Amino acid sequence: VRSLLLAALLGALGAGGTELTLELPDSAQRCFHQELESGTKITLDYQVISGGHYDVDCYVEDPNGKTIYQETKKQYDSFSHHTELKGVYTFCFSNEFSTFSHKIVYFDFQVGDEPPILPDMNNRGTALTQLESACVTIHEMLNAVIDSQTHYRLREAQDRSRAEELNGRVSYWSVGETLILFVVSIGQVVLLKSFFTEKRPSSSGAGT
């Protein structure tokens, strides 16, 4: 019984969904397509990890081309929807408003409701046993751990990107200050040298 419950628990953790980190160049757009049945629940979570002001445009279209979700210049957001039509749904990320900022975007696209970890769990007439209740609790805690790990992983990647960007700016500023210091030092030496340089009279002036 324990092995069956553990297998059901592990199987539920792998419920249908896609996680992807994509590279979004400046003035570019990336679209994804998914064929869905009517009445299917979809959930889209996304977050910009690095680039520019950490914002991106996002929209979702149904099979008829109708926009069912659209947001502009968002750092992160979540969208849930129950499909009304059968067909290919499209969701796109756009960086067309930026002419020089390169973006990295993470998204998690979930399709359908998570299946129960136990057979006929929603239609049972009896209460769960102690072992089954423990499995359900463990499953919920594992889901919370996975969500927390994803959240902190994205925060760590975002903070690292900002730190690297700040380090690059400090390095360029230091190089610029060093060059300016050399130019000023050389200019001061040349200027002081000109003060103490003896000017000899010209030969034509001496002859007259």
Side-chain angles (χ1 to χ4, degrees):
V1 177
R2 292 184 179 180
S3 60
L4 290 176
L5 292 176
L6 181 60
L9 179 63
L10 295 176
L13 290 176
T18 300
E19 291 184 73
L20 185 65
T21 301
L22 63 98
E23 196 172 350
L24 194 60
D26 52 278
S27 304
Q29 177 176 281
R30 295 287 184 269
C31 293
F32 301 86
H33 311 276
Q34 178 68 45
E35 186 172 357
L36 300 170
E37 299 290 335
S38 61
T40 303
K41 179 183 178 181
I42 58 173
T43 303
L44 175 64
D45 298 315
Y46 64 91
Q47 179 175 340
V48 181
I49 299 176
S50 67
H53 295 288
Y54 300 89
D55 53 357
V56 70
D57 295 345
C58 179
Y59 66 89
V60 181
E61 293 182 348
D62 65 9
N64 292 335
K66 178 183 176 182
T67 301
I68 57 178
Y69 169 83
Q70 184 173 12
E71 289 290 344
T72 59
K73 296 184 178 181
K74 296 283 288 187
Q75 294 185 353
Y76 58 88
D77 201 11
S78 179
F79 168 70
S80 296
H81 178 72
H82 284 82
T83 60
E84 300 177 355
L85 301 173
K86 177 183 178 181
V88 177
Y89 285 75
T90 303
F91 61 98
C92 300
F93 299 98
S94 173
N95 193 31
E96 294 177 327
F97 61 87
S98 178
T99 57
F100 59 88
S101 296
H102 200 85
K103 308 288 178 62
I104 296 179
V105 182
Y106 162 86
F107 73 86
D108 181 10
F109 185 70
Q110 298 291 332
V111 178
D113 294 317
E114 184 178 11
I117 64 173
L118 300 175
D120 300 328
M121 180 177 173
N122 297 329
N123 300 322
R124 296 184 59 170
T126 59
L128 298 177
T129 65
Q130 185 176 1
L131 180 59
E132 291 172 340
S133 299
C135 287
V136 173
T137 302
I138 293 173
H139 172 67
E140 293 175 351
M141 294 176 64
L142 287 176
N143 280 338
V145 169
I146 292 173
D147 292 339
S148 297
Q149 287 179 336
T150 301
H151 171 71
Y152 288 117
R153 186 173 68 249
L154 293 177
R155 287 289 301 274
E156 187 271 338
Q158 191 177 71
D159 292 341
R160 180 188 301 174
S161 175
R162 289 179 176 175
E164 291 177 352
E165 181 181 358
L166 181 60
N167 179 65
R169 291 183 179 181
V170 171
S171 299
Y172 289 135
W173 182 259
S174 300
V175 171
E177 285 187 330
T178 303
L179 293 176
I180 293 174
L181 182 61
F182 275 118
V183 171
V184 171
S185 300
I186 294 174
Q188 288 178 342
V189 171
V190 172
L191 183 61
L192 290 174
K193 186 178 180 180
S194 65
F195 289 159
F196 297 99
T197 300
E198 181 181 357
K199 297 183 177 179
R200 297 180 180 179
S202 60
S203 58
S204 58
T208 59

